[in-house]
């Protein structure tokens, strides 16, 4: 349950490099990311976690029943409380109720449950089920972060970049993203890579930035795939390799990144990093253009195609779009 503020890659880069306002979004609700502590049997052996197991298998009514019974049996069971809160957050087998969810997250946090603390911080940050209170949210994130919650460290980094509309603290943001990245948060790897590449809040180090982008790209982060491809194409922090750049542009474009689609289209049109293919160039150009990436040069490539090749482009688009 590693939800948090998730800033889209172009907006995060803008936030790091400029003084523009922060635009944040939370990820869609997800199941808890780590299994809660299991209750002990009288023999001292961990008992099967029926509530969490049912949740993971999609038996949400059973999960709620088992978690509720656990709280009845042990009013200090913070993991079960967090699970109940998640069920109400997502509206699984019950009517979605953010007030009820926040209630359970707060109870779980009061019992020292790290995931509950983080989730209640998110509720405060977004004003979901409780009045919005960024200062209080930050306090809960700090508590969860101190207990090793990578998503909490990431959120603290974004809050440091936002600066509450006053002063941004790039050093604190870089430090927070570094701790989140060390904990495996892929968005933090991307954010830290962006800061290291720009030398914002931390010394500029192009090889380290490339390494961070590569690590995040390994977890299919489209923004990192794009940035790693750009660094490979330009030979920044790594040997210049246009074929490698094309590989990563293709991965990011396939996952819907329009900037990557534009870069890929240009490589196909020029025959750089992969064989020249004007049909594929037009295909990726149209996908990028549909998402707002204008490119007059590629418009000219499209216009120069023969009727037969334009038909091929349309067929490829229909296949890509599943029509």
């Amino acid at each position: 349950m590693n939800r948090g503020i998730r800033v889209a890659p172009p907006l995060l880069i803008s936030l790091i490099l400029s003084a523009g306002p922060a635009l944040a979004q939370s990820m869609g609700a997800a199941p808890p990311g780590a299994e809660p502590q299991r209750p002990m049997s009288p023999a001292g052996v961990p008992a099967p976690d029926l509530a969490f197991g049912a949740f993971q298998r999609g038996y949400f009514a059973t999960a709620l029943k088992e978690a509720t019974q656990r709280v009845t049996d042990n009013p200090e069971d913070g993991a079960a409380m967090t699970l109940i809160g998640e069920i109400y957050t997502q509206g699984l087998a019950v009517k979605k109720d953010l007030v009820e969810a926040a209630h359970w997250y707060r109870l779980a946090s009061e019992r020292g449950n790290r995931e509950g603390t983080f989730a209640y911080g998110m509720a405060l940050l977004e004003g979901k089920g409780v009045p919005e209170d960024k200062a209080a949210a930050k306090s809960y994130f700090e508590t969860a972060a101190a207990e090793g919650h990578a998503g909490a460290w990431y959120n603290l980094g974004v809050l440091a970049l936002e600066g509450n509309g006053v002063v941004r603290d790039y050093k604190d943001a870089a430090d927070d993203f570094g701790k989140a990245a060390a904990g495996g948060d892929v968005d933090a790897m991307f954010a830290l890579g962006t800061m290291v590449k720009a030398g914002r809040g931390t010394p500029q180090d192009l090889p380290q930035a490339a390494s961070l982008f590569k690590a995040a790209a390994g977890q299919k982060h489209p923004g990192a795939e794009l940035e790693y491809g750009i660094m490979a194409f330009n030979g920044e922090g790594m040997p210049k390799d246009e074929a490698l750049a094309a590989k990563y542009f293709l991965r990011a474009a396939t996952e819907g990144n329009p900037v990557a689609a534009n870069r890929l289209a240009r490589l196909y049109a020029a025959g750089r990093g992969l064989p020249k293919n004007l049909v594929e160039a037009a295909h990726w150009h149209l996908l990028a253009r549909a998402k707002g990436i204008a490119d007059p040069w590629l418009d000219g490539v499209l216009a120069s195609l023969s009727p037969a090749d334009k038909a091929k482009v349309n067929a490829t688009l229909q296949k890509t779009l599943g029509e």
Side-chain angles (χ1 to χ4, degrees):
M1 191 165 51
N2 217 23
R3 289 194 318 278
I5 305 172
R6 299 294 161 179
V7 182
L11 298 175
L12 180 61
I13 292 174
S14 175
L15 185 58
I16 290 170
L17 300 181
S18 72
L23 295 178
Q25 60 186 33
S26 66
M27 292 179 66
E35 185 174 355
Q37 289 186 339
R38 290 184 288 170
M40 303 295 284
S41 70
V45 177
D49 191 335
L50 300 179
F52 186 80
F55 186 97
Q56 292 292 75
R57 293 192 301 274
Y59 301 124
F60 303 118
T62 300
L64 179 59
K65 177 182 177 182
E66 292 293 338
T68 302
Q69 185 60 52
R70 275 176 51 175
V71 173
T72 299
D73 295 340
N74 177 14
E76 299 303 311
D77 192 337
M81 293 173 182
T82 298
L83 186 58
I84 294 172
E86 193 67 19
I87 289 170
Y88 277 105
T89 293
Q90 299 189 49
L92 304 171
V94 294
K95 183 178 179 181
K96 183 174 181 177
D97 189 333
L98 298 180
V99 173
E100 186 71 7
H103 165 73
W104 285 105
Y105 289 146
R106 180 178 58 78
L107 291 178
S109 178
E110 289 172 353
R111 284 152 182 80
N113 181 266
R114 185 185 73 169
E115 295 293 341
T117 298
F118 175 75
Y120 191 61
M122 280 302 305
L124 288 165
L125 180 71
E126 299 177 330
K128 292 185 175 180
V130 290
E132 181 181 323
D133 188 336
K134 277 194 173 184
K138 181 180 179 182
S139 177
Y140 277 89
F141 290 148
E142 288 171 341
T143 298
E147 297 173 1
H149 196 292
W153 280 119
Y154 176 81
N155 281 356
L156 288 172
V158 175
L159 289 173
L161 284 181
E162 289 182 336
N164 293 320
V166 184
V167 178
R168 297 183 184 182
D169 193 325
Y170 293 102
K171 185 180 184 304
D172 276 359
D175 289 344
D176 292 340
F177 288 145
K179 291 171 183 174
D185 189 290
V186 66
D187 289 319
M189 294 175 195
F190 172 76
L192 182 61
T194 302
M195 298 193 78
V196 170
K197 183 179 180 182
R200 273 292 177 96
T202 183
Q204 185 180 52
D205 187 332
L206 296 182
Q208 183 189 8
S211 178
L212 286 162
F213 288 141
K214 183 179 181 181
Q219 297 187 46
K220 298 185 177 181
H221 188 293
E225 290 169 342
L226 170 64
E227 292 300 322
Y228 187 65
I230 291 173
M231 295 191 80
F233 186 85
N234 293 327
E236 297 177 288
M238 58 190 298
K240 182 178 177 65
D241 189 333
E242 292 186 359
L244 183 65
K247 173 184 174 181
Y248 278 88
F249 289 155
L250 176 59
R251 285 173 53 172
T254 301
E255 291 165 15
N257 187 299
V259 177
N262 172 260
R263 300 296 188 272
L264 182 63
R266 281 183 160 259
L267 293 187
Y268 269 122
R272 297 182 64 175
L274 36 66
K276 185 173 183 176
N277 188 324
L278 297 184
V279 171
E280 280 298 311
H283 161 228
W284 289 108
H285 168 53
L286 288 174
L287 290 175
R289 194 173 71 178
K291 293 186 178 180
I293 307 298
D295 192 321
W297 181 73
L298 284 171
D299 285 339
V301 171
L302 177 62
S304 71
L305 292 178
S306 68
D309 280 344
K310 288 182 179 179
K312 291 178 183 178
V313 173
N314 287 332
T316 303
L317 281 173
Q318 288 176 0
K319 183 177 180 181
T320 300
L321 299 174
E323 296 178 357

